[in-house]
Protein backbone atom coordinates (compact mmCIF):
# COMPACT_ATOMS: atom_id res chain seq x y z
CA UNK A 1 0.00 0.00 0.00
CA UNK A 2 1.25 3.45 -0.87
CA UNK A 3 2.05 5.59 2.18
CA UNK A 4 1.36 9.29 2.33
CA UNK A 5 4.07 11.92 2.31
CA UNK A 6 3.89 14.05 5.44
CA UNK A 7 4.80 17.74 5.44
CA UNK A 8 5.99 19.68 8.48
CA UNK A 9 7.41 23.15 8.98
CA UNK A 10 11.23 23.03 9.22
CA UNK A 11 12.04 26.73 9.48
CA UNK A 12 11.92 30.01 7.64
CA UNK A 13 14.34 31.43 5.09
CA UNK A 14 14.05 35.00 3.76
CA UNK A 15 10.46 35.15 5.04
CA UNK A 16 9.49 32.00 3.23
CA UNK A 17 8.54 28.77 4.99
CA UNK A 18 10.89 25.84 4.61
CA UNK A 19 9.05 22.53 4.73
CA UNK A 20 10.17 19.00 5.48
CA UNK A 21 8.75 16.19 3.36
CA UNK A 22 8.85 12.69 4.79
CA UNK A 23 8.57 9.76 2.42
CA UNK A 24 8.20 6.26 3.88
CA UNK A 25 8.24 2.94 2.10
CA UNK A 26 6.94 -0.52 3.04
CA UNK A 27 10.37 -1.86 4.05
CA UNK A 28 11.24 0.30 7.02
CA UNK A 29 12.86 3.17 5.18
CA UNK A 30 12.12 6.83 5.65
CA UNK A 31 13.64 9.81 3.87
CA UNK A 32 13.25 13.45 4.87
CA UNK A 33 13.79 16.26 2.38
CA UNK A 34 13.58 20.04 2.69
CA UNK A 35 13.07 22.64 -0.01
CA UNK A 36 16.07 24.70 1.21
CA UNK A 37 18.88 23.43 -1.02
CA UNK A 38 16.64 20.54 -2.18
CA UNK A 39 18.38 18.88 0.75
CA UNK A 40 18.10 15.35 2.12
CA UNK A 41 18.06 15.75 5.90
CA UNK A 42 17.54 12.14 7.00
CA UNK A 43 17.72 8.61 5.67
CA UNK A 44 16.41 6.05 8.14
CA UNK A 45 17.07 2.48 7.12
CA UNK A 46 17.06 -0.85 9.00
CA UNK A 47 20.18 -2.61 10.28
CA UNK A 48 20.79 -6.37 10.34
CA UNK A 49 18.41 -6.74 13.32
CA UNK A 50 15.70 -4.76 11.55
CA UNK A 51 16.21 -1.68 13.72
CA UNK A 52 15.99 1.63 11.86
CA UNK A 53 18.65 4.30 12.27
CA UNK A 54 19.47 7.58 10.52
CA UNK A 55 22.55 7.13 8.32
CA UNK A 56 22.81 10.71 7.02
CA UNK A 57 24.60 13.58 8.75
CA UNK A 58 22.26 16.51 9.20
CA UNK A 59 20.45 18.82 11.57
CA UNK A 60 16.93 18.79 13.03
CA UNK A 61 16.29 22.42 12.20
CA UNK A 62 17.13 24.91 9.49
CA UNK A 63 19.56 26.83 11.71
CA UNK A 64 22.19 24.11 11.50
CA UNK A 65 22.05 24.26 7.70
CA UNK A 66 22.18 28.06 7.63
CA UNK A 67 25.17 28.15 9.98
CA UNK A 68 27.07 25.43 8.14
CA UNK A 69 26.67 26.28 4.48
CA UNK A 70 30.31 25.35 3.89
CA UNK A 71 29.43 21.70 4.46
CA UNK A 72 26.77 21.33 1.73
CA UNK A 73 25.12 18.76 4.01
CA UNK A 74 22.81 16.51 1.99
CA UNK A 75 22.15 19.29 -0.54
CA UNK A 76 21.99 19.53 -4.28
CA UNK A 77 25.17 21.30 -5.35
CA UNK A 78 25.48 23.39 -8.53
CA UNK A 79 25.46 25.07 -11.01
CA UNK A 80 28.92 23.50 -11.19
CA UNK A 81 29.80 21.23 -8.27
CA UNK A 82 33.49 20.68 -7.43
CA UNK A 83 36.11 23.11 -8.66
CA UNK A 84 36.62 25.35 -11.67
CA UNK A 85 40.26 26.45 -11.78
CA UNK A 86 40.97 30.18 -11.45
CA UNK A 87 37.20 30.67 -11.17
CA UNK A 88 36.84 31.30 -14.87
CA UNK A 89 36.12 29.61 -18.18
CA UNK A 90 35.70 30.64 -21.81
CA UNK A 91 32.68 29.69 -23.86
CA UNK A 92 32.01 30.87 -27.44
CA UNK A 93 34.82 33.45 -27.10
CA UNK A 94 33.41 35.02 -23.94
CA UNK A 95 35.34 34.73 -20.68
CA UNK A 96 33.07 34.18 -17.68
CA UNK A 97 34.23 35.08 -14.17
CA UNK A 98 32.99 33.23 -11.11
CA UNK A 99 33.53 33.67 -7.38
CA UNK A 100 36.90 32.36 -6.16
CA UNK A 101 35.55 30.85 -2.93
CA UNK A 102 38.11 28.02 -2.61
CA UNK A 103 41.53 29.65 -2.80
CA UNK A 104 41.71 30.66 -6.48
CA UNK A 105 39.03 28.19 -7.61
CA UNK A 106 35.27 28.38 -7.74
CA UNK A 107 33.86 25.57 -5.57
CA UNK A 108 30.34 24.12 -5.63
CA UNK A 109 28.70 26.86 -7.69
CA UNK A 110 30.14 29.91 -5.93
CA UNK A 111 29.00 31.96 -2.93
CA UNK A 112 25.28 31.23 -3.20
CA UNK A 113 25.03 27.90 -4.94
CA UNK A 114 21.93 25.74 -5.34
CA UNK A 115 22.39 24.44 -1.78
CA UNK A 116 21.70 27.92 -0.37
CA UNK A 117 18.44 28.82 -2.10
CA UNK A 118 14.80 27.85 -1.65
CA UNK A 119 13.39 25.51 -4.26
CA UNK A 120 9.74 25.06 -5.21
CA UNK A 121 8.43 21.73 -4.02
CA UNK A 122 5.68 19.52 -5.29
CA UNK A 123 4.53 16.13 -4.10
CA UNK A 124 4.70 14.09 -7.26
CA UNK A 125 2.97 11.03 -5.87
CA UNK A 126 3.11 8.89 -2.70
CA UNK A 127 6.84 8.17 -2.94
CA UNK A 128 8.15 11.10 -4.94
CA UNK A 129 8.92 14.77 -4.31
CA UNK A 130 9.93 17.18 -7.05
CA UNK A 131 12.00 20.31 -6.42
CA UNK A 132 12.35 23.03 -9.08
CA UNK A 133 14.59 26.06 -9.26
CA UNK A 134 15.24 28.74 -11.85
CA UNK A 135 18.85 29.90 -11.74
CA UNK A 136 18.78 33.20 -13.56
CA UNK A 137 21.10 34.33 -16.32
CA UNK A 138 24.22 35.73 -14.64
CA UNK A 139 23.61 34.12 -11.24
CA UNK A 140 27.03 33.49 -9.68
CA UNK A 141 28.52 34.55 -13.04
CA UNK A 142 27.09 31.66 -15.09
CA UNK A 143 25.39 32.36 -18.44
CA UNK A 144 21.79 31.47 -19.22
CA UNK A 145 18.53 30.97 -17.38
CA UNK A 146 18.81 27.41 -16.14
CA UNK A 147 15.60 25.65 -15.10
CA UNK A 148 16.37 22.65 -12.93
CA UNK A 149 14.21 19.83 -11.62
CA UNK A 150 15.19 17.24 -9.05
CA UNK A 151 12.89 14.31 -8.38
CA UNK A 152 13.56 12.20 -5.29
CA UNK A 153 11.88 8.77 -5.31
CA UNK A 154 11.94 6.23 -2.47
CA UNK A 155 11.10 2.74 -3.73
CA UNK A 156 10.05 -0.37 -1.84
CA UNK A 157 13.38 -1.88 -2.96
CA UNK A 158 15.03 0.58 -0.53
CA UNK A 159 16.43 2.74 -3.29
CA UNK A 160 16.60 6.50 -3.07
CA UNK A 161 16.58 7.58 -6.70
CA UNK A 162 17.70 11.11 -7.52
CA UNK A 163 16.60 12.19 -10.98
CA UNK A 164 18.02 15.45 -12.29
CA UNK A 165 17.06 17.45 -15.37
CA UNK A 166 17.79 20.96 -16.58
CA UNK A 167 17.30 23.17 -19.62
CA UNK A 168 18.91 26.48 -20.51
CA UNK A 169 18.46 29.39 -22.93
CA UNK A 170 22.23 30.02 -23.34
CA UNK A 171 25.16 27.60 -23.40
CA UNK A 172 26.39 27.00 -19.84
CA UNK A 173 28.40 24.48 -17.86
CA UNK A 174 26.21 22.25 -15.68
CA UNK A 175 27.49 19.74 -13.14
CA UNK A 176 25.08 18.77 -10.36
CA UNK A 177 25.54 16.43 -7.43
CA UNK A 178 23.97 15.32 -4.17
CA UNK A 179 26.26 15.96 -1.21
CA UNK A 180 25.07 13.49 1.45
CA UNK A 181 27.41 12.46 4.29
CA UNK A 182 26.82 8.81 5.22
CA UNK A 183 27.64 6.79 8.31
CA UNK A 184 25.96 3.41 7.89
CA UNK A 185 26.23 2.55 11.59
CA UNK A 186 23.76 5.41 12.13
CA UNK A 187 26.60 7.21 13.95
CA UNK A 188 26.98 4.45 16.58
CA UNK A 189 30.50 4.17 15.21
CA UNK A 190 32.07 7.60 15.66
CA UNK A 191 33.79 7.48 12.27
CA UNK A 192 33.52 5.68 8.92
CA UNK A 193 37.15 4.49 9.08
CA UNK A 194 35.99 0.87 9.56
CA UNK A 195 33.44 1.03 6.74
CA UNK A 196 34.46 -1.09 3.76
CA UNK A 197 34.39 0.65 0.40
CA UNK A 198 34.72 -0.46 -3.18
CA UNK A 199 34.81 2.05 -6.07
CA UNK A 200 34.64 0.76 -9.63
CA UNK A 201 37.33 3.09 -10.92
CA UNK A 202 40.86 2.32 -12.09
CA UNK A 203 41.67 6.01 -12.44
CA UNK A 204 41.15 9.37 -10.81
CA UNK A 205 41.57 12.99 -11.81
CA UNK A 206 44.54 14.58 -10.10
CA UNK A 207 43.61 17.49 -7.89
CA UNK A 208 44.50 20.52 -9.86
CA UNK A 209 47.01 22.62 -8.06
CA UNK A 210 47.91 26.04 -9.22
CA UNK A 211 47.76 26.10 -13.01
CA UNK A 212 49.66 25.92 -15.39
CA UNK A 213 49.43 22.34 -14.11
CA UNK A 214 46.39 20.82 -15.81
CA UNK A 215 44.12 18.24 -14.21
CA UNK A 216 45.40 14.85 -15.31
CA UNK A 217 43.91 11.40 -15.34
CA UNK A 218 46.10 9.00 -13.37
CA UNK A 219 45.97 5.38 -12.25
CA UNK A 220 44.94 4.45 -8.69
CA UNK A 221 46.71 1.10 -8.97
CA UNK A 222 48.26 -0.15 -5.74
CA UNK A 223 48.31 3.30 -4.19
CA UNK A 224 46.21 4.59 -1.27
CA UNK A 225 43.48 5.72 -3.68
CA UNK A 226 42.94 2.18 -4.94
CA UNK A 227 39.45 1.02 -3.90
CA UNK A 228 39.04 -1.39 -6.82
CA UNK A 229 38.90 -4.18 -4.23
CA UNK A 230 36.85 -3.55 -1.10
CA UNK A 231 38.99 -2.18 1.73
CA UNK A 232 38.47 -0.28 4.96
CA UNK A 233 38.37 3.46 4.36
CA UNK A 234 40.78 3.89 7.26
CA UNK A 235 43.41 1.49 5.94
CA UNK A 236 45.42 3.96 3.87
CA UNK A 237 43.79 7.24 4.85
CA UNK A 238 46.82 8.50 6.77
CA UNK A 239 48.83 8.52 3.55
CA UNK A 240 46.73 11.43 2.32
CA UNK A 241 46.86 14.83 3.97
CA UNK A 242 43.51 15.31 5.70
CA UNK A 243 41.96 12.22 4.15
CA UNK A 244 40.32 11.35 0.85
CA UNK A 245 38.97 14.19 -1.28
CA UNK A 246 39.37 12.82 -4.79
CA UNK A 247 37.39 12.46 -7.97
CA UNK A 248 37.33 8.96 -9.41
CA UNK A 249 37.01 8.20 -13.13
CA UNK A 250 34.41 5.46 -13.14
CA UNK A 251 34.98 2.37 -15.30
CA UNK A 252 31.84 2.98 -17.32
CA UNK A 253 30.91 0.66 -20.13
CA UNK A 254 28.20 2.81 -21.70
CA UNK A 255 28.04 6.58 -21.94
CA UNK A 256 25.21 7.90 -19.72
CA UNK A 257 24.19 4.37 -18.69
CA UNK A 258 23.13 3.79 -15.08
CA UNK A 259 25.95 1.63 -13.73
CA UNK A 260 27.24 0.61 -10.33
CA UNK A 261 29.86 3.07 -9.14
CA UNK A 262 30.56 2.07 -5.54
CA UNK A 263 29.56 -0.10 -2.59
CA UNK A 264 29.83 0.85 1.09
CA UNK A 265 29.45 -1.63 3.97
CA UNK A 266 29.41 -1.21 7.72
CA UNK A 267 30.30 -4.56 9.33
CA UNK A 268 28.88 -3.55 12.75
CA UNK A 269 25.30 -2.83 11.64
CA UNK A 270 25.34 -4.93 8.46
CA UNK A 271 24.07 -2.00 6.40
CA UNK A 272 25.14 -1.82 2.78
CA UNK A 273 24.78 1.15 0.43
CA UNK A 274 25.35 0.65 -3.29
CA UNK A 275 25.69 3.67 -5.54
CA UNK A 276 24.60 3.61 -9.17
CA UNK A 277 24.96 6.57 -11.49
CA UNK A 278 24.83 7.80 -15.06
CA UNK A 279 27.75 10.17 -14.29
CA UNK A 280 31.38 9.62 -15.36
CA UNK A 281 32.89 10.57 -11.98
CA UNK A 282 32.52 10.04 -8.25
CA UNK A 283 34.00 12.33 -5.61
CA UNK A 284 35.10 10.47 -2.49
CA UNK A 285 35.24 12.92 0.40
CA UNK A 286 35.84 11.52 3.87
CA UNK A 287 34.45 14.46 5.84
CA UNK A 288 37.89 15.94 6.42
CA UNK A 289 36.55 19.26 7.70
CA UNK A 290 33.44 18.15 9.61
CA UNK A 291 34.78 19.43 12.91
CA UNK A 292 34.58 22.97 11.55
CA UNK A 293 30.78 22.74 11.94
CA UNK A 294 29.66 25.86 13.72
CA UNK A 295 27.92 25.88 17.05
CA UNK A 296 27.67 22.14 17.44
CA UNK A 297 30.92 21.28 19.18
CA UNK A 298 30.24 21.50 22.84
CA UNK A 299 27.61 18.85 23.33
CA UNK A 300 27.71 17.03 20.03
CA UNK A 301 30.47 14.59 19.27
CA UNK A 302 28.85 13.58 15.97
CA UNK A 303 30.52 16.47 14.19
CA UNK A 304 34.05 15.12 14.18
CA UNK A 305 36.31 14.59 11.18
CA UNK A 306 35.59 11.36 9.28
CA UNK A 307 32.24 10.95 11.08
CA UNK A 308 30.71 10.37 7.66
CA UNK A 309 31.65 9.86 4.02
CA UNK A 310 30.37 11.50 0.81
CA UNK A 311 30.10 9.59 -2.45
CA UNK A 312 29.14 12.36 -4.86
CA UNK A 313 28.30 11.34 -8.43
CA UNK A 314 29.33 14.05 -10.88
CA UNK A 315 31.45 15.11 -13.84
CA UNK A 316 35.18 15.69 -13.44
CA UNK A 317 36.46 18.85 -11.75
CA UNK A 318 37.37 21.78 -13.98
CA UNK A 319 35.82 20.18 -17.10
CA UNK A 320 34.94 23.56 -18.70
CA UNK A 321 38.71 24.20 -18.94
CA UNK A 322 39.75 20.65 -19.83
CA UNK A 323 38.73 19.91 -23.42
CA UNK A 324 39.62 16.20 -23.17
CA UNK A 325 37.19 15.57 -20.28
CA UNK A 326 33.58 14.51 -20.94
CA UNK A 327 31.72 17.71 -21.82
CA UNK A 328 29.67 19.62 -19.26
CA UNK A 329 28.27 22.32 -21.55
CA UNK A 330 24.48 22.33 -21.88
CA UNK A 331 23.18 24.09 -24.99
CA UNK A 332 19.74 25.56 -25.64
CA UNK A 333 17.44 22.84 -26.97
CA UNK A 334 19.26 20.09 -25.03
CA UNK A 335 18.23 18.57 -21.71
CA UNK A 336 20.73 17.82 -18.96
CA UNK A 337 19.87 14.49 -17.41
CA UNK A 338 21.40 12.59 -14.55
CA UNK A 339 20.24 9.73 -12.39
CA UNK A 340 21.95 8.55 -9.22
CA UNK A 341 20.64 5.78 -6.98
CA UNK A 342 21.59 5.04 -3.37
CA UNK A 343 20.35 1.51 -2.67
CA UNK A 344 20.29 0.20 0.89
CA UNK A 345 20.38 -3.43 1.97
CA UNK A 346 21.88 -5.58 4.72
CA UNK A 347 24.54 -8.26 4.79
C1 LIG B 1 33.57 18.28 -1.14
C2 LIG B 1 34.87 18.86 -1.61
C3 LIG B 1 35.70 19.15 -0.38
C4 LIG B 1 34.97 20.08 0.56
C5 LIG B 1 33.59 19.54 0.83
C6 LIG B 1 32.72 20.48 1.64
O1 LIG B 1 32.75 17.94 -2.23
O2 LIG B 1 35.53 18.00 -2.50
O3 LIG B 1 36.96 19.66 -0.71
O4 LIG B 1 34.89 21.36 -0.01
O5 LIG B 1 32.90 19.25 -0.36
O6 LIG B 1 33.30 20.79 2.86
Amino acid sequence: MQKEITITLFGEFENKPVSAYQISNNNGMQVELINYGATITKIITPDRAGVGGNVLLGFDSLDGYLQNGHMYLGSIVGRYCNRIAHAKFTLHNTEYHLAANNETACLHGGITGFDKVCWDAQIWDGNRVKFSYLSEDGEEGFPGNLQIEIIYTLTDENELIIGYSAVTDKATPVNLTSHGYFNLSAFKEPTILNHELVIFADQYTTQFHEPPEPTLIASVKDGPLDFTKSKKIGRDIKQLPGGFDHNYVLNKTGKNALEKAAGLYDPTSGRVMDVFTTEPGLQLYTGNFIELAAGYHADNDTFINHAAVCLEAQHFPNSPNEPVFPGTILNPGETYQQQTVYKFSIR
Side-chain angles (χ1 to χ4, degrees):
M1 223 187 56
Q2 194 64 73
K3 306 215 168 160
E4 290 221 337
I5 293 178
T6 60
I7 310 178
T8 50
L9 189 67
F10 198 77
E12 207 176 83
F13 179 67
E14 292 176 347
N15 300 322
K16 281 195 215 137
V18 172
S19 301
Y21 299 80
Q22 269 140 17
I23 320 179
S24 305
N25 75 1
N26 291 304
N27 277 314
M29 262 193 81
Q30 199 187 320
V31 170
E32 185 182 78
L33 310 161
I34 58 171
N35 60 308
Y36 177 77
T39 300
I40 315 169
T41 50
K42 255 180 216 153
I43 300 179
I44 296 172
T45 184
D47 67 6
R48 211 184 262 130
V51 180
N54 175 31
V55 298
L56 195 79
L57 191 65
F59 296 108
D60 289 332
S61 74
L62 194 63
D63 272 2
Y65 291 91
L66 298 180
Q67 287 180 49
N68 291 290
H70 63 282
M71 294 179 79
Y72 308 88
L73 280 170
S75 311
I76 294 296
V77 179
R79 184 180 297 202
Y80 196 97
C81 69
N82 217 316
R83 291 154 181 92
I84 295 181
H86 281 315
K88 63 180 185 191
F89 63 93
T90 301
L91 196 55
H92 301 318
N93 300 319
T94 304
E95 191 171 86
Y96 292 94
H97 292 264
L98 312 168
N101 60 337
N102 191 242
E103 297 172 8
T104 57
C106 178
L107 175 72
H108 290 338
I111 312 277
T112 309
F114 297 172
D115 59 298
K116 294 180 185 67
V117 295
C118 267
W119 295 58
D120 290 327
Q122 200 181 341
I123 292 181
W124 205 238
D125 60 34
N127 66 343
R128 217 167 268 195
V129 176
K130 180 172 104 171
F131 292 108
S132 324
Y133 178 67
L134 172 68
S135 168
E136 288 182 1
D137 190 3
E139 187 180 287
E140 287 296 327
F142 289 98
N145 290 294
L146 185 74
Q147 179 67 53
I148 312 126
E149 287 187 355
I150 307 290
I151 299 180
Y152 288 104
T153 307
L154 176 64
T155 72
D156 278 338
E157 284 70 50
N158 286 0
E159 298 156 314
L160 176 61
I161 304 175
I162 312 175
Y164 304 68
S165 65
V167 289
T168 184
D169 58 4
K170 273 186 201 161
T172 178
V174 180
N175 186 17
L176 306 179
T177 197
S178 167
H179 207 293
Y181 290 67
F182 298 94
N183 178 323
L184 297 183
S185 76
F187 299 92
K188 291 204 169 118
E189 293 281 300
T191 71
I192 45 70
L193 297 177
N194 284 323
H195 280 39
E196 291 167 23
L197 176 66
V198 58
I199 303 178
F200 301 102
D202 296 335
Q203 293 174 305
Y204 72 106
T205 57
T206 56
Q207 305 286 80
F208 63 80
H209 311 281
E210 290 304 302
E213 244 184 284
T215 318
L216 299 175
I217 291 182
S219 170
V220 297
K221 199 161 171 15
D222 301 329
L225 297 177
D226 191 347
F227 280 94
T228 52
K229 291 189 199 74
S230 184
K231 72 172 178 189
K232 284 196 190 300
I233 293 178
R235 197 187 83 177
D236 300 326
I237 198 169
K238 291 238 161 64
Q239 295 180 45
L240 296 150
F244 295 100
D245 193 2
H246 295 81
N247 194 269
Y248 285 79
V249 176
L250 296 169
N251 301 336
K252 307 250 339 182
T253 57
K255 200 176 169 231
N256 300 334
L258 185 70
E259 292 179 43
K260 189 163 170 182
L264 185 66
Y265 170 60
D266 166 41
T268 61
S269 66
R271 289 191 186 91
V272 175
M273 183 178 83
D274 290 316
V275 185
F276 301 82
T277 188
T278 54
E279 294 302 275
L282 187 81
Q283 182 84 10
L284 166 64
Y285 168 57
T286 46
N288 309 337
F289 318 113
I290 291 178
E291 67 187 28
L292 300 179
Y296 287 83
H297 278 187
D299 54 355
N300 193 338
D301 58 8
T302 306
F303 286 83
I304 58 171
N305 286 348
H306 314 313
V309 57
C310 301
L311 295 168
E312 312 157 37
Q314 56 188 248
H315 269 257
F316 306 158
N318 201 31
S319 300
N321 296 312
E322 301 288 354
V324 297
F325 285 180
T328 51
I329 304 302
L330 181 72
N331 294 299
E334 299 171 346
T335 303
Y336 167 94
Q337 269 175 322
Q338 184 204 146
Q339 198 180 63
T340 295
V341 179
Y342 294 97
K343 183 174 169 56
F344 297 88
S345 57
I346 44 169
R347 201 195 291 162

